[in-house]
Amino acid sequence: MEKKKFYITTPIYYPSGKWHIGTCYTTIICDALARYKRMQGYDVFYLTGTDEHGQKIQKVAAAANTEVKTYIDGVVGELKKLWKLLDISYDKFIRTTDEEHMQAVQKIFTKLYEKGDIYKSQYEGWYCTPCEAFWTKTQLVDGKCPDCGRPVELMKEESYFFRLSKYQDRIQKLIEEDKEFLQPTTRQNEMLNNFIKPGLQDLCVSRTSFDWGIKVPFDPKHVIYVWIDALTNYITALGYGSDDDSKFKRYWPADIHMMGKEIIRFHSIIWPAILMALDLPLPKKVYGHGWLMFNNDKMSKSKGNIVDPFILCERYGVDALRYYMLREVPFGQDGNFTNEIFLKRRNSDLANDLGNLVSRVTAMVAQYFDGVIPAPDKKEAVDDELIAMANAMYASVTESMDKMYVPEALDTIFKVIQRANKYIDECTPWILAKSEEGRVRLKTVLYNLCEVIRMAAVILQPFLTETPEKIFKKLGVSEEELKDFKSIEKFGAKIDGHKVDKGEQLFERIDIQKELKVMDDILEEQKKQAQQAQKKAQEKEEKTNVADINEITIDDFARIQLKVGKVVECQKVEKADKLLCSKIDLGEGAPRTIVSGIAKYYTPEEMVGKQVIVVTNLKPVKLRGIESQGMVLCASDENGNLALVTPEKDITAGSEVR
Ligand code: ME8
């Protein structure tokens, strides 16, 4: 029978280099889901990758004095190291700078243009460079970017637009009628009320203000702007638009697009509209998870309050991190990370519940049966509940995983583990070991425990990637069929006769207070480094600004209009000690009124008849109620001297200064 397919994606990551445990959340969740489906026998395709175009990354690379692609290659290398460390089992890592992707995007863009779903027009908006976002005037907050609060620039440019408005009704119907499409369900109203019902605007999909992107094939001064480039990765990764689209035919539509809640809008509105325009089937599910916060604050490298996954894995093991992420964050809602909860979870669930169970049971098998798992013999009523729970575990976990209730799935498994610990206390093997009859019963007790441990290890494989294999080794289980989901549908596999190997503890208990201190020190150090980095960046920016002032081009200079003028009248400005108001003949017919802050250096009488240099294309300003129509040039030194700049000999009023 042909395997059923399952296609799951994370968003493609910005190569920002700001990796923290929040960044890992989407990939770890998807990894658990992908591994679960693989073990269920699905033909899984798990996609992740990087979103490498745009002005922001171009600027970052320029600041690092590195060619853009070389810069990104370095960051992507780091990201891949992180995914390796976390055992992320992706099937493909797509980069939007991949040649195949770029060609396919150009084909898609051309197709949409030829169909009339992309057209050329003028775009005007307020642009925030760090966020790469355009805003309308009403969206600005105090004239600044509503997302990051930084200054925005008014930009006007010729752009291509995607006819998103045309798909308004179909998108609305999709969200309203297909209740499975957008999850969790709370997101449906959010999208409908905030974005869809107020009316979808056509979307600007090209830029001319920078060139780090995929060129519009028939108009190469435009680059294709982020969403058509980024969203289409989900189909170009499968070969859509290439010579070999067999994977596309096999895996599309996606079963799940997983992402953080901030980009749901793009995936549940823009992406389906693009697919509708391409006459392609829509993804089955778009799932927006919450954010992982640190001590209830948003993690940010510039604040230094990030939790570094490399450090956590090195100190406490990859499974401790995976476990925390999958267990502790209520799916769909924001979750909170604190070092304390993380360390406590590791001690209580992994070291105490799971680790202790395994070491107690293997030690008893070693002690009472020479390390060989005994065959069950005498049954008792006390066995029933444990066996019933173990038997129900697979179906229950599967049900949770189908709904993507990952913490609930882990909860079910750990309830069985806790029940097994309780079973030891109920059966008191150390007392059974003392009598002949008890030793018969002990066989059953230890077999039951070993079997429950094996079943737990099997079902833990999608969640934890190192521990299950360690448990199999301890139980002497090497047969693949005993590690398979099929083998846990029913309690009672043939594991008697296997030789256990007690070995080391699965998880050493850690001294929480001591570790908290270590983690706090690391955090302090990070914060210090972040502050230093910020200071350095600021200094660099200031230096660059100075350099900007020092070096202007001839074109910059040509924008300033300088002319020789003759002062024909001059008087003091009332109630203003520093100001003189002059009438200056610039050969324009009527003289101009110009206010200057030179009253301490020149009397009005001295001024009359002088030839001066005037900036004539300065925007007029009102000073003490008088409109000043230019500026007289002066030189000043550090000792407080000031001198008017005048031509070396008399020259006609209005002569240009060059
Ligand atoms: O959005 N908690 O990329 P990205 C949970 N390139 N998830 C977090 C998180 C946190 N603290 N921080 C980041 C992009 N993430 C675009 C996507 S797709 C066509 C284009 C998640 O690098 C975030 O929500 O900013 C997203 O799912 C993923 O990391 C990548 O985010």
Side-chain angles (χ1 to χ4, degrees):
M1 203 176 72
E2 207 205 354
K3 280 184 169 186
K4 270 168 90 178
K5 68 93 187 172
F6 182 75
Y7 180 31
I8 182 165
T9 70
T10 72
I12 40 173
Y13 285 72
Y14 288 126
S16 63
K18 294 180 181 170
W19 321 125
H20 49 70
I21 56 166
T23 332
C24 310
Y25 186 62
T26 324
T27 36
I28 294 182
I29 290 282
C30 286
D31 189 64
L33 292 168
R35 285 175 186 265
Y36 202 86
K37 286 284 179 190
R38 274 192 208 110
M39 287 194 65
Q40 284 185 303
Y42 281 76
D43 168 13
V44 172
F45 196 88
Y46 173 13
L47 175 72
T48 189
T50 36
D51 186 357
E52 304 186 3
H53 290 125
Q55 190 174 19
K56 194 153 86 181
I57 191 72
Q58 192 171 17
K59 284 194 171 170
V60 173
N65 270 334
T66 319
E67 193 263 327
V68 198
K69 183 66 171 32
T70 314
Y71 177 83
I72 299 173
D73 285 349
V75 184
V76 170
E78 283 300 306
L79 186 63
K80 283 188 172 174
K81 264 192 220 157
L82 178 59
W83 295 161
K84 192 162 191 280
L85 176 74
L86 297 174
D87 276 325
I88 305 300
S89 63
Y90 57 79
D91 295 286
K92 181 170 168 109
F93 189 105
I94 186 170
R95 300 182 56 176
T96 51
T97 50
D98 289 343
E99 200 48 49
E100 309 85 80
H101 172 76
M102 301 212 287
Q103 280 176 13
V105 168
Q106 288 188 325
K107 280 193 196 161
I108 289 169
F109 199 92
T110 307
K111 190 166 173 179
L112 295 176
Y113 180 72
E114 282 168 357
K115 203 184 157 196
D117 274 340
I118 283 181
Y119 63 93
K120 200 172 183 176
S121 182
Q122 274 283 333
Y123 189 84
E124 192 179 305
W126 297 86
Y127 189 66
C128 173
T129 308
C131 297
E132 289 189 0
F134 268 97
W135 305 101
T136 59
K137 195 154 188 197
T138 50
Q139 286 174 316
L140 300 180
V141 177
D142 297 332
K144 300 211 167 115
C145 171
D147 262 5
C148 71
R150 281 178 272 209
V152 286
E153 293 169 68
L154 182 63
M155 302 244 269
K156 197 170 176 180
E157 59 180 73
E158 178 193 271
S159 291
Y160 285 90
F161 283 78
F162 172 63
R163 233 178 261 288
L164 184 62
S165 56
K166 176 176 156 189
Y167 295 93
Q168 159 101 27
D169 293 346
R170 282 178 69 187
I171 296 288
Q172 183 163 339
K173 205 163 159 233
L174 168 72
I175 309 275
E176 280 174 344
E177 291 179 7
D178 182 353
K179 291 293 173 201
E180 282 303 305
F181 175 74
L182 178 56
Q183 294 283 327
T185 41
T186 46
R187 310 280 183 216
Q188 294 168 5
N189 279 339
E190 193 183 312
M191 290 302 122
L192 283 168
N193 298 336
N194 298 352
F195 302 107
I196 303 171
K197 286 185 182 163
L200 295 177
Q201 309 284 318
D202 288 354
L203 189 74
C204 176
V205 289
S206 80
R207 289 281 185 276
T208 50
S209 50
F210 60 90
D211 62 358
W212 179 244
I214 304 171
K215 293 201 169 9
V216 171
F218 46 87
D219 195 352
K221 76 172 190 290
H222 287 259
V223 295
I224 297 171
Y225 180 59
V226 57
W227 294 106
I228 289 211
D229 173 5
L231 288 162
T232 52
N233 92 87
Y234 301 128
I235 53 176
T236 64
L238 299 176
Y240 177 83
S242 78
D243 295 341
D244 176 9
D245 65 353
S246 53
K247 283 206 175 68
F248 176 74
K249 287 190 177 124
R250 169 84 183 123
Y251 294 106
W252 191 255
D255 293 271
I256 300 173
H257 285 317
M258 180 73 71
M259 74 215 60
K261 59 183 179 183
E262 78 285 5
I263 48 175
I264 292 176
R265 178 155 71 105
F266 304 106
H267 285 79
S268 65
I269 298 175
I270 299 172
W271 180 223
I274 294 173
L275 289 165
M276 286 170 186
L278 290 169
D279 289 319
L280 292 176
L282 305 183
K284 292 186 194 157
K285 201 184 288 298
V286 167
Y287 198 103
H289 62 68
W291 287 333
L292 189 67
M293 317 287 265
F294 179 54
N295 296 337
N296 288 315
D297 193 8
K298 201 164 179 207
M299 272 180 241
S300 135
K301 197 165 182 179
S302 49
K303 282 193 228 164
N305 72 341
I306 58 157
V307 184
D308 185 332
F310 288 100
I311 296 178
L312 279 193
C313 288
E314 188 192 332
R315 292 191 76 80
Y316 312 112
V318 56
D319 278 350
L321 178 56
R322 288 180 63 111
Y323 182 73
Y324 185 94
M325 303 288 256
L326 297 167
R327 176 70 195 254
E328 198 63 37
V329 183
F331 209 38
Q333 297 166 37
D334 287 348
N336 189 29
F337 182 98
T338 74
N339 287 323
E340 192 171 356
I341 306 176
F342 170 71
L343 296 171
K344 279 189 175 157
R345 269 273 181 222
R346 188 185 178 284
N347 265 1
S348 66
D349 298 14
L350 298 177
N352 281 4
D353 291 350
L354 179 62
N356 265 354
L357 174 69
V358 175
S359 63
R360 282 166 93 189
V361 171
T362 48
M364 288 191 285
V365 173
Q367 190 182 344
Y368 304 133
F369 295 100
D370 283 336
V372 178
I373 300 175
D377 195 318
K378 193 166 167 262
K379 293 194 174 73
E380 281 188 14
V382 66
D383 305 341
D384 295 347
E385 193 183 319
L386 177 68
I387 294 175
M389 277 177 86
N391 269 330
M393 180 170 67
Y394 177 52
S396 163
V397 172
T398 300
E399 197 185 323
S400 301
M401 291 301 273
D402 284 345
K403 289 190 256 168
M404 287 187 287
Y405 294 167
V406 185
E408 194 184 84
L410 277 171
D411 192 52
T412 305
I413 303 171
F414 274 77
K415 284 225 166 77
V416 177
I417 290 167
Q418 283 153 8
R419 186 66 190 80
N421 275 314
K422 193 170 154 216
Y423 177 79
I424 299 182
D425 299 336
E426 288 166 347
C427 297
T428 56
W430 49 93
I431 296 176
L432 293 176
K434 287 185 180 151
S435 69
E436 204 51 44
E437 201 194 335
R439 288 180 84 86
V440 176
R441 169 70 188 143
L442 185 58
K443 287 184 186 173
T444 311
V445 170
L446 287 181
Y447 168 84
N448 286 350
L449 286 165
C450 287
E451 173 63 347
V452 167
I453 291 173
R454 182 195 67 84
M455 290 173 80
V458 170
I459 204 157
L460 276 173
Q461 289 173 101
F463 308 93
L464 310 181
T465 54
E466 292 181 343
T467 312
E469 198 47 50
K470 286 185 190 161
I471 298 177
F472 292 137
K473 272 218 178 81
K474 283 179 187 293
L475 292 178
V477 165
S478 56
E479 304 89 325
E480 285 311 311
E481 59 275 17
L482 289 177
K483 300 177 183 174
D484 202 87
F485 272 177
K486 280 217 161 41
S487 75
I488 58 168
E489 279 168 7
K490 201 164 168 2
F491 176 94
K494 172 100 186 77
I495 54 165
D496 42 286
H498 284 72
K499 185 130 180 68
V500 303
D501 170 15
K502 192 172 169 294
E504 283 178 4
Q505 289 272 0
L506 286 176
F507 295 91
E508 288 293 338
R509 269 187 72 83
I510 42 186
D511 178 339
I512 294 190
Q513 289 317 318
K514 199 174 125 211
E515 284 303 316
L516 275 179
K517 170 92 185 55
V518 176
M519 298 298 279
D520 281 349
D521 289 349
I522 293 175
L523 190 67
E524 274 317 303
E525 182 55 35
Q526 271 174 201
K527 282 190 180 159
K528 233 192 263 162
Q529 281 178 9
Q531 274 167 3
Q532 278 169 358
Q534 229 165 13
K535 206 169 142 207
K536 255 196 189 156
Q538 228 165 8
E539 281 168 7
K540 197 167 171 194
E541 200 172 322
E542 277 160 18
K543 266 194 200 148
T544 320
N545 288 344
V546 171
D548 280 352
I549 292 167
N550 286 344
E551 278 182 25
I552 60 167
T553 63
I554 187 79
D555 295 336
D556 295 330
F557 180 68
R559 293 180 62 208
I560 304 169
Q561 230 176 55
L562 299 171
K563 284 185 183 171
V564 175
K566 185 167 184 174
V567 182
V568 288
E569 273 177 39
C570 185
Q571 59 191 53
K572 284 194 128 182
V573 176
E574 257 181 57
K575 292 185 200 151
D577 295 350
K578 294 181 185 164
L579 301 182
L580 291 184
C581 176
S582 313
K583 296 266 181 213
I584 301 181
D585 174 14
L586 286 151
E588 297 169 324
R592 289 199 194 193
T593 304
I594 295 180
V595 178
S596 322
I598 54 173
K600 288 206 169 140
Y601 307 94
Y602 293 93
T603 61
E605 296 72 35
E606 277 178 297
M607 289 297 289
V608 176
K610 273 200 195 307
Q611 284 209 316
V612 289
I613 310 293
V614 177
V615 184
T616 53
N617 61 342
L618 201 66
K619 202 169 171 185
V621 284
K622 269 204 168 165
L623 295 167
R624 300 281 161 151
I626 307 166
E627 187 179 87
S628 179
Q629 299 159 330
M631 185 173 79
V632 172
L633 292 190
C634 299
S636 62
D637 68 15
E638 284 171 355
N639 304 323
N641 300 311
L642 182 137
L644 285 168
V645 179
T646 58
E648 179 261 334
K649 59 182 175 211
D650 254 17
I651 187 163
T652 321
S655 301
E656 286 214 23
V657 178
R658 278 277 156 263

